[in-house]
Amino acid sequence: MPQPRRIPSGYGYGRSRIGSSAIPPYLLLLFLFVLAPSLFLLGRNGVHARIHPDEKPANDNRKTMDWREKLAIKHLKSSLTKEVVESIRDSEPWSLDNFRKHLPVSWKIDGVDDAQQNSSTVIDVDANAKNAHDKLDNPKDSDVPRLPKDAFDESQDVDTHMKVARRKLREIRRDKRATELLRQDDEALVKLENAAIERSKAVDSAVLGKYSIWRKENENENSDTTVRLMRDQMIMARVYLALAKSSNKNSIYQELQTRLKESQRTLGEATMDADLHHSAPEKIKAMGQVLSKAKEELYDCKAITQRLRAMLQSADEQVRSLKKQSTFLSQLAAKTIPNGIHCLSMRLTIDYYLLPIEKRQFPKSENFENPELYHYALFSDNVLAASVVVNSTIMNAKEPEKHVFHLVTDKLNFGAMNMWFLLNPPGEATIHVENVDDFKWLNSSNCPVLRQLESAAMKEYYFKSDPKTTLSAGSSNLKYRNPKYLSMLNHLRFYLPQVYPKLDKILFLDDDIVVQKDLTGLWEVDLNGNVNGAVETCGESFHRFDKYLNFSNPHIARNFDPNACGWAYGMNIFDLKEWKKKDITGIYHKWQNMNEDRVLWKLGTLPPGLLTFYKLTHPLDKSWHVLGLGYNPSIDRSDIDNAAVIHYNGNMKPWLELAMTKYRPYWTKYIKYDHPYIRACNLSE
């Protein structure tokens, strides 16, 4: 006989209030997993089944439970401890907060104070609740009771350990990314600055030479501080204008803009304090107040630095563009002849050809080939410049009667040159004027440079439009297109023995020099068997052979030292006897023929001169010849005063408007501006 099965009392065995039959297990599960969580939710939201929201309970400490609560507690007794049941019965309406507050003493953790216990309990309960919820959602744990997700909504408002960890990781990644971006930004700025420096190095500064307003030698000790202060204020105002605009600070933006316009009007074109308007101090004070206000509201070191760097980049681009324009215009000005000099040449030419033939001859023609006298060679098409060279030499000569000047010019200026010196003879000195076109031996068959000048390639180089030599391309080849390179007057210096076959020594002078002392001592200098006596121009690395010659060409690299010191044309004493012995003209022809396609050097006479007179040049004392007055504004005044010859080499010739004012008096003092021809052509100091 089978034994009857016992049902443990803990599984809710009992009788119903309605009937006497036992309660089925599924009803117990229904109460445990549906009704109980619903009661928790109702208690959490402050809803009580028997108390109206506006009514106060009769007893705050203990509240009357309805039949549903009692029934739930009755069936939970079997699975909950006595302490938990008592806590639930004695607590306020059910909620997770109340449950946490009334946690049994036995649940507390040893070694943790109450504050830590409360906070850690909140985190632990929420974490456990979340884990339980995840398990309930897992279909593999179907035997685990499932609770509604809404029961854990409150736990989402409290940071868990996982949330805190994730937040810290996000912050670390964000900081790392910000640091990386800052590093990349700094690297980009450095690259921009380096690129700007490299671009500035590429700008051709050959025209201006050493000229730079930033050189210490040009700093004015009595600088105009007010002008500089106003300019500095305007720069900072532009910086803060940009910051105010980006920050939508309209009031400070308008104020800065107003003050900036006032400062611009006050400063105008002033370069000295004396040129400023009398209201300048007031404008400076007003601008200072606005800048102080802007600094308080907008100051950001990094933003200001970036803005200033951007302004620096823009200024660099502008400077490069202006340098190109300046180079182009200076080259253009160097090619032109002022109207006054052109007028002088035309008037003299007309009057010369109106003279009878017998009056066109110079006296003392017997001195032309006398080797005992001091002979000068001057090749020029500028009447006024040639007159300064002759006048300055004679005025400083101890024995003017022993000096003979051989002037060679072109056909266009031959009459003017003759007429000027016929009207203005240089005292007791001898003048001899010749026309280069009368040298019949000088032709393309025996003169390589003349043949090259007449070639189609050279004509195309000079006269055909080439986009590479426009203003935007700078002056890489522009300066070599000067008309003087097309004139044989510029190359005649390599044919001195042919032009003056009976002379032993001759002093070659350019037409852009001024003589300040007696030069007869040059004829007494021992050249030690060399042909050329000249002043060297090289410093540590300046004006050495590699500056003028193409050392990538094997002919140049094999025969010359790139570090050899260069020397100056403009005042050179030539020993014509040694010239003939060493066949200097033949050496010149050799190198000129090899440079048919301009592969050894570009154009000009100094590079072939360096090749021709290599190891045949005797260095003269530097006081004989001081160069740079046509491009260098920082030549020492004592060097100029002590020099025998000063040379306006460069584009800023003393007869041009772009001449440097500080050097021009050395040249103009040898011109008689009250002369009728000069007055008629409006030439003035």
Side-chain angles (χ1 to χ4, degrees):
M1 182 176 178
Q3 296 294 327
R5 185 176 59 176
R6 292 177 177 272
I7 301 176
S9 60
Y11 283 85
Y13 178 79
R15 292 181 177 272
S16 170
R17 293 184 181 183
I18 299 174
S20 59
S21 60
I23 300 175
Y26 67 87
L27 290 178
L28 181 59
L29 293 174
L30 178 66
F31 278 107
L32 285 172
F33 302 117
V34 177
L35 180 60
S38 300
L39 291 175
F40 269 88
L41 292 174
L42 292 173
R44 186 184 128 209
N45 294 324
V47 180
H48 196 281
R50 298 185 296 107
I51 299 177
H52 191 274
D54 297 334
E55 296 178 358
K56 294 183 179 180
N59 189 351
D60 292 337
N61 296 326
R62 293 184 62 87
K63 302 175 180 62
T64 304
M65 293 185 292
D66 62 6
W67 64 272
R68 298 180 184 85
E69 296 173 357
K70 292 179 180 179
L71 186 60
I73 293 173
K74 180 179 179 180
H75 289 288
L76 290 173
K77 283 181 180 180
S78 61
S79 58
L80 300 176
T81 64
K82 182 179 180 180
E83 292 175 341
V84 174
V85 174
E86 291 297 329
S87 175
I88 296 173
R89 181 181 292 144
D90 295 340
S91 65
E92 296 177 358
W94 289 11
S95 68
L96 288 175
D97 291 339
N98 291 334
F99 186 75
R100 292 166 185 154
K101 290 178 183 178
H102 299 88
L103 198 63
V105 177
S106 61
W107 286 22
K108 293 185 178 181
I109 303 172
D110 294 340
V112 182
D113 58 17
D114 293 340
Q116 293 175 342
Q117 175 68 33
N118 292 337
S119 62
S120 63
T121 302
V122 171
I123 296 173
D124 292 342
V125 170
D126 282 352
N128 294 334
K130 198 69 177 176
N131 294 334
H133 188 276
D134 294 337
K135 289 181 180 180
L136 288 174
D137 287 341
N138 192 342
K140 294 181 180 180
D141 300 331
S142 58
D143 58 335
V144 180
R146 296 176 180 270
L147 296 177
K149 293 182 180 181
D150 294 343
F152 301 99
D153 288 345
E154 185 173 343
S155 67
Q156 297 176 2
D157 299 332
V158 182
D159 289 342
T160 64
H161 289 301
M162 189 176 297
K163 287 183 179 179
V164 173
R166 282 198 299 266
R167 184 183 297 110
K168 289 182 178 179
L169 287 174
R170 284 195 299 269
E171 291 176 355
I172 292 172
R173 286 196 298 267
R174 192 179 297 113
D175 293 341
K176 185 178 179 180
R177 179 60 177 164
T179 303
E180 180 68 17
L181 290 174
L182 287 175
R183 184 184 63 80
Q184 293 177 359
D185 185 48
D186 293 338
E187 290 177 354
L189 290 173
V190 171
K191 289 180 180 178
L192 285 174
E193 292 173 354
N194 292 336
I197 292 172
E198 292 301 322
R199 287 196 304 271
S200 65
K201 290 179 180 178
V203 176
D204 185 3
S205 58
V207 176
L208 298 180
K210 296 180 181 178
Y211 181 74
S212 172
I213 60 174
W214 307 113
R215 287 173 63 89
K216 291 183 178 181
E217 295 86 345
N218 298 315
E219 291 180 358
N220 187 358
E221 296 180 357
N222 300 319
S223 58
D224 296 284
T225 55
T226 305
V227 171
R228 293 175 59 187
L229 176 59
M230 291 191 72
R231 289 174 177 169
D232 291 343
Q233 284 185 332
M234 290 165 65
I235 291 173
M236 291 308 302
R238 292 188 182 96
V239 173
Y240 283 122
L241 268 175
L243 297 180
K245 187 174 183 180
S246 62
S247 303
N248 294 323
K249 302 282 187 178
N250 294 327
S251 60
I252 191 67
Y253 178 84
Q254 294 294 337
E255 196 170 355
L256 281 167
Q257 201 170 38
T258 301
R259 297 302 179 190
L260 181 60
K261 289 180 179 179
E262 291 178 355
S263 296
Q264 287 173 337
R265 286 194 297 267
T266 303
L267 182 62
E269 300 294 330
T271 56
M272 298 184 295
D273 290 351
D275 299 333
L276 290 174
H277 192 266
H278 60 81
S279 62
E282 298 177 4
K283 304 301 181 185
I284 292 174
K285 183 178 180 181
M287 176 64 85
Q289 293 173 351
V290 176
L291 290 176
S292 298
K293 182 179 177 181
K295 182 178 180 180
E296 293 177 358
E297 297 186 19
L298 302 169
Y299 184 79
D300 182 347
C301 182
K302 184 177 180 180
I304 290 176
T305 302
Q306 291 177 340
R307 190 65 190 174
L308 288 172
R309 282 176 173 169
M311 293 173 67
L312 180 63
Q313 292 287 335
S314 176
D316 176 70
E317 293 294 331
Q318 188 177 8
V319 168
R320 292 177 66 245
S321 176
L322 291 174
K323 277 187 175 181
K324 289 181 179 180
Q325 294 182 28
S326 174
T327 300
F328 176 83
L329 294 174
S330 61
Q331 293 288 356
L332 185 63
K335 297 177 183 180
T336 60
I337 298 176
N339 287 336
I341 296 178
H342 183 72
C343 165
L344 178 63
S345 180
M346 293 299 101
R347 286 178 176 269
L348 289 169
T349 300
I350 293 171
D351 290 346
Y352 174 75
Y353 288 107
L354 292 176
L355 284 176
I357 296 179
E358 62 274 9
K359 291 186 178 181
R360 297 180 187 177
Q361 302 299 319
F362 287 99
K364 304 180 181 178
S365 58
E366 66 277 4
N367 293 336
F368 293 169
E369 297 180 346
N370 185 354
E372 301 298 326
L373 302 178
Y374 305 114
H375 293 265
Y376 300 84
L378 176 60
F379 309 144
S380 175
D381 57 0
N382 188 326
V383 176
L384 196 62
S387 70
V388 170
V389 175
V390 174
N391 290 341
S392 62
T393 304
I394 297 303
M395 290 177 66
N396 292 284
K398 296 179 179 178
E399 300 177 295
E401 69 278 2
K402 293 184 178 180
H403 295 260
V404 181
F405 292 89
H406 301 271
L407 279 70
V408 181
T409 187
D410 55 17
K411 186 176 181 178
L412 181 63
N413 294 280
F414 178 73
M417 200 74 73
N418 276 281
M419 189 65 188
W420 177 263
F421 287 105
L422 286 171
L423 293 175
N424 305 281
E428 299 178 1
T430 303
I431 294 291
H432 180 207
V433 179
E434 295 180 274
N435 183 358
V436 68
D437 295 328
D438 292 336
F439 299 154
K440 302 303 179 182
W441 51 267
L442 194 63
N443 51 62
S444 57
S445 62
N446 57 17
C447 180
V449 70
L450 189 58
R451 183 181 67 254
Q452 293 170 11
L453 291 174
E454 293 176 353
S455 67
M458 188 67 71
K459 291 178 181 178
E460 181 180 3
Y461 178 80
Y462 269 97
F463 301 111
K464 186 176 180 179
S465 177
D466 186 354
K468 294 181 180 179
T469 57
T470 59
L471 174 59
S472 61
S475 64
S476 59
N477 293 321
L478 182 61
K479 68 178 182 178
Y480 297 107
R481 295 173 179 251
N482 196 308
K484 71 178 183 179
Y485 296 121
L486 292 173
S487 174
M488 272 307 299
L489 288 175
N490 198 44
H491 298 270
L492 197 59
R493 64 192 69 188
F494 293 104
Y495 299 94
L496 289 174
Q498 286 83 355
V499 180
Y500 311 108
K502 296 185 178 181
L503 299 181
D504 296 333
K505 278 189 176 182
I506 195 167
L507 182 63
F508 172 80
L509 298 177
D510 267 342
D511 62 355
D512 55 352
I513 63 105
V514 173
V515 178
Q516 300 186 125
K517 294 183 178 180
D518 181 52
L519 300 180
T520 55
L522 289 170
W523 275 265
E524 299 174 359
V525 173
D526 184 3
L527 298 181
N528 297 316
N530 293 305
V531 180
N532 176 26
V535 170
E536 293 182 336
T537 57
C538 61
E540 294 181 0
S541 61
F542 187 61
H543 283 184
R544 295 187 181 271
F545 271 43
D546 58 354
K547 178 178 176 63
Y548 304 100
L549 304 173
N550 178 19
F551 274 86
S552 63
N553 185 284
H555 297 291
I556 298 296
R558 281 197 305 263
N559 293 283
F560 302 98
D561 179 7
N563 294 317
C565 192
W567 44 267
Y569 263 133
M571 189 212 69
N572 307 80
I573 184 71
F574 290 109
D575 188 333
L576 299 184
K577 287 184 178 180
E578 290 294 330
W579 184 306
K580 295 172 186 177
K581 289 179 183 179
K582 294 179 171 58
D583 190 20
I584 297 299
T585 303
I587 297 174
Y588 164 70
H589 283 172
K590 168 193 169 185
W591 290 111
Q592 193 68 52
N593 283 324
M594 294 174 64
N595 196 45
E596 183 78 27
D597 297 325
R598 298 185 302 279
V599 295
L600 305 185
W601 69 89
K602 290 186 178 180
L603 289 174
T605 54
L606 181 56
L610 296 177
L611 299 179
T612 302
F613 296 100
Y614 183 59
K615 295 185 177 180
L616 295 174
T617 300
H618 175 76
L620 299 176
D621 188 272
K622 292 186 181 297
S623 62
W624 280 111
H625 188 188
V626 171
L627 299 97
L629 278 73
Y631 69 85
N632 184 3
S634 52
I635 302 174
D636 191 88
R637 177 67 178 268
S638 61
D639 291 341
I640 297 175
D641 293 338
N642 295 328
V645 171
I646 56 175
H647 193 173
Y648 291 85
N649 58 313
N651 286 328
M652 300 178 186
K653 303 299 184 185
W655 55 83
L656 299 176
E657 291 185 3
L658 52 80
M660 281 183 272
T661 308
K662 61 189 294 186
Y663 299 145
R664 206 163 183 267
Y666 294 101
W667 187 81
T668 56
K669 71 178 183 178
Y670 294 105
I671 298 176
K672 296 180 180 180
Y673 284 97
D674 58 348
H675 194 282
Y677 281 90
I678 292 179
R679 285 206 316 268
C681 291
N682 296 320
L683 286 167
S684 60
E685 281 187 85

